[in-house]
């Protein structure tokens, strides 16, 4: 297993969401890698991640299951669903360059929408599956 691309993947996802025009138009930069204390009424936060190694003799790699949350204090889900769609569009499809290794694929897995009465928020958790491959290690192994 290799978790060597975990930081690179998170940085790329964060960078893509901050730079995406549709996400920015809806959030005005309210994308965080953790939930801020003074949170705006609609924002995106990067969340949990689970990585499983898929290394073999040809190199190191991993499957990352990661959560991106859309959180709102607004009534209804429509604004949150618009943001969730923009986040999904931003992350799935186009190539996402990493500073280490490469992203083989990024796929949408599922979304869970729920209302938390205690905190007074609505939340949509988007789950993605990213397959990474550490080309740096493969190049070193092959001697190229």
């Amino acid at each position: 297993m290799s978790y060597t691309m975990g930081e690179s993947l998170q940085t790329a996802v964060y960078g893509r969401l901050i730079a995406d025009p549709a996400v920015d138009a809806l959030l005005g930069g309210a994308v965080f890698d953790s939930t801020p204390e003074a949170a705006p009424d609609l924002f995106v936060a990067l969340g949990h991640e689970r990585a499983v190694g898929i290394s073999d003799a040809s190199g190191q790699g991993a499957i990352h299951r990661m959560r991106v949350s859309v959180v709102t204090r607004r009534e209804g889900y429509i604004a949150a669903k618009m943001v969730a769609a923009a986040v999904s569009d931003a992350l799935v499809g186009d190539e996402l360059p990493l500073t280490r290794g490469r992203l083989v694929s990024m796929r949408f897995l599922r979304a869970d929408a729920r209302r938390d009465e205690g905190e007074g928020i609505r939340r949509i958790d988007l789950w993605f599956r990213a397959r990474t491959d550490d080309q740096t290690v493969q190049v070193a192994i092959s001697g190229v």
Side-chain angles (χ1 to χ4, degrees):
M1 165 168 172
S2 179
Y3 192 62
T4 57
M5 291 141 312
E7 179 273 332
S8 180
L9 178 60
Q10 180 170 339
T11 299
V13 166
Y14 179 80
R16 172 64 54 88
L17 294 177
I18 285 293
D20 186 80
V23 173
D24 189 55
L26 294 166
L27 294 175
V31 177
F32 306 99
D33 67 356
S34 65
T35 304
E37 287 188 32
D41 69 341
L42 178 62
F43 66 93
V44 165
L46 303 184
H48 291 95
E49 174 189 7
R50 175 174 291 179
V52 177
I54 55 170
S55 301
D56 59 23
S58 67
Q60 296 186 39
I63 301 288
H64 303 257
R65 285 188 168 78
M66 49 194 290
R67 183 181 77 194
V68 178
S69 299
V70 179
V71 182
T72 185
R73 295 191 191 301
R74 298 178 185 175
E75 290 297 319
Y77 279 101
I78 194 68
K81 287 184 178 185
M82 290 172 63
V83 172
V87 165
S88 188
D89 286 345
L91 295 180
V92 177
D94 290 337
E95 187 173 325
L96 191 62
L98 305 182
T99 56
R100 177 167 179 175
R102 71 183 177 102
L103 181 65
V104 176
S105 66
M106 173 77 83
R107 295 190 175 114
F108 170 78
L109 292 177
R110 74 176 199 269
D112 301 311
R114 68 180 190 277
R115 186 173 166 180
D116 186 332
E117 297 287 343
E119 292 187 30
I121 62 169
R122 285 176 169 74
R123 174 185 192 114
I124 300 173
D125 290 325
L126 302 167
W127 289 90
F128 296 91
R129 177 191 183 271
R131 159 73 164 94
T132 58
D133 183 30
D134 195 352
Q135 293 174 320
T136 305
V137 173
Q138 288 181 2
V139 169
I141 291 172
S142 67
V144 175

Short mmCIF file of all heavy atoms in Angstrom, two decimals, residues 15 20 29 39 49-51 68 82 84 93 98 114 133:
data_model
loop_
_atom_site.label_atom_id
_atom_site.label_comp_id
_atom_site.label_asym_id
_atom_site.label_seq_id
_atom_site.Cartn_x
_atom_site.Cartn_y
_atom_site.Cartn_z
N GLY A 15 -7.81 22.47 -4.81
CA GLY A 15 -7.47 23.44 -5.85
C GLY A 15 -8.49 23.48 -6.98
O GLY A 15 -8.86 24.55 -7.47
N ASP A 20 -12.79 26.27 -9.78
CA ASP A 20 -13.89 25.99 -10.70
C ASP A 20 -14.87 27.16 -10.75
O ASP A 20 -15.39 27.58 -9.70
CB ASP A 20 -14.63 24.72 -10.26
CG ASP A 20 -15.69 24.32 -11.26
OD1 ASP A 20 -15.33 23.72 -12.28
OD2 ASP A 20 -16.88 24.64 -11.02
N GLY A 29 -15.87 31.20 -3.03
CA GLY A 29 -14.65 30.80 -2.34
C GLY A 29 -14.85 30.05 -1.04
O GLY A 29 -13.88 29.73 -0.37
N ALA A 39 -18.61 29.60 10.12
CA ALA A 39 -18.96 29.12 8.80
C ALA A 39 -20.02 29.99 8.13
O ALA A 39 -20.95 30.46 8.79
CB ALA A 39 -19.49 27.68 8.91
N GLU A 49 -11.64 10.39 4.55
CA GLU A 49 -11.03 9.66 3.44
C GLU A 49 -10.58 8.31 3.97
O GLU A 49 -10.08 8.20 5.09
CB GLU A 49 -9.84 10.43 2.88
CG GLU A 49 -9.07 9.69 1.83
CD GLU A 49 -7.77 10.39 1.46
OE1 GLU A 49 -7.40 11.38 2.11
OE2 GLU A 49 -7.12 9.93 0.53
N ARG A 50 -10.75 7.29 3.16
CA ARG A 50 -10.24 5.96 3.49
C ARG A 50 -9.45 5.48 2.27
O ARG A 50 -9.96 5.51 1.16
CB ARG A 50 -11.37 4.99 3.78
CG ARG A 50 -10.86 3.56 4.00
CD ARG A 50 -11.94 2.65 4.44
NE ARG A 50 -12.32 3.06 5.80
CZ ARG A 50 -13.28 2.48 6.49
NH1 ARG A 50 -13.98 1.51 5.98
NH2 ARG A 50 -13.56 2.89 7.72
N ALA A 51 -8.21 5.07 2.49
CA ALA A 51 -7.37 4.59 1.41
C ALA A 51 -7.05 3.12 1.61
O ALA A 51 -6.79 2.69 2.74
CB ALA A 51 -6.08 5.40 1.33
N VAL A 68 -16.81 14.74 0.27
CA VAL A 68 -16.87 16.19 0.13
C VAL A 68 -18.27 16.58 0.58
O VAL A 68 -19.26 16.07 0.04
CB VAL A 68 -16.62 16.64 -1.32
CG1 VAL A 68 -16.75 18.15 -1.44
CG2 VAL A 68 -15.24 16.17 -1.80
N MET A 82 -27.61 22.37 -5.86
CA MET A 82 -26.94 23.06 -6.96
C MET A 82 -25.42 23.03 -6.76
O MET A 82 -24.66 22.77 -7.69
CB MET A 82 -27.44 24.50 -7.07
CG MET A 82 -28.87 24.60 -7.56
SD MET A 82 -29.54 26.28 -7.46
CE MET A 82 -28.45 27.15 -8.58
N ALA A 84 -23.78 20.79 -4.90
CA ALA A 84 -23.37 19.39 -5.00
C ALA A 84 -23.18 19.00 -6.47
O ALA A 84 -22.20 18.31 -6.81
CB ALA A 84 -24.39 18.49 -4.33
N GLY A 93 -14.54 13.64 -14.53
CA GLY A 93 -14.47 13.89 -15.97
C GLY A 93 -13.12 14.42 -16.41
O GLY A 93 -12.35 13.72 -17.03
N LEU A 98 -1.84 15.70 -10.23
CA LEU A 98 -1.31 15.58 -8.88
C LEU A 98 0.16 16.01 -8.86
O LEU A 98 0.86 15.89 -9.85
CB LEU A 98 -1.40 14.13 -8.39
CG LEU A 98 -2.78 13.46 -8.42
CD1 LEU A 98 -2.68 12.04 -7.86
CD2 LEU A 98 -3.80 14.26 -7.68
N ARG A 114 -29.08 14.88 4.31
CA ARG A 114 -29.79 14.75 5.59
C ARG A 114 -29.89 16.10 6.27
O ARG A 114 -29.14 17.04 5.99
CB ARG A 114 -29.11 13.73 6.48
CG ARG A 114 -27.75 14.14 6.99
CD ARG A 114 -27.18 13.03 7.87
NE ARG A 114 -26.00 13.43 8.56
CZ ARG A 114 -24.78 13.42 8.06
NH1 ARG A 114 -24.59 13.05 6.83
NH2 ARG A 114 -23.75 13.80 8.78
N ASP A 133 -1.90 6.20 -8.66
CA ASP A 133 -0.78 5.36 -9.04
C ASP A 133 0.48 6.19 -8.84
O ASP A 133 0.56 7.32 -9.35
CB ASP A 133 -0.96 4.96 -10.51
CG ASP A 133 0.10 4.02 -11.02
OD1 ASP A 133 0.63 3.23 -10.22
OD2 ASP A 133 0.38 4.07 -12.23
#
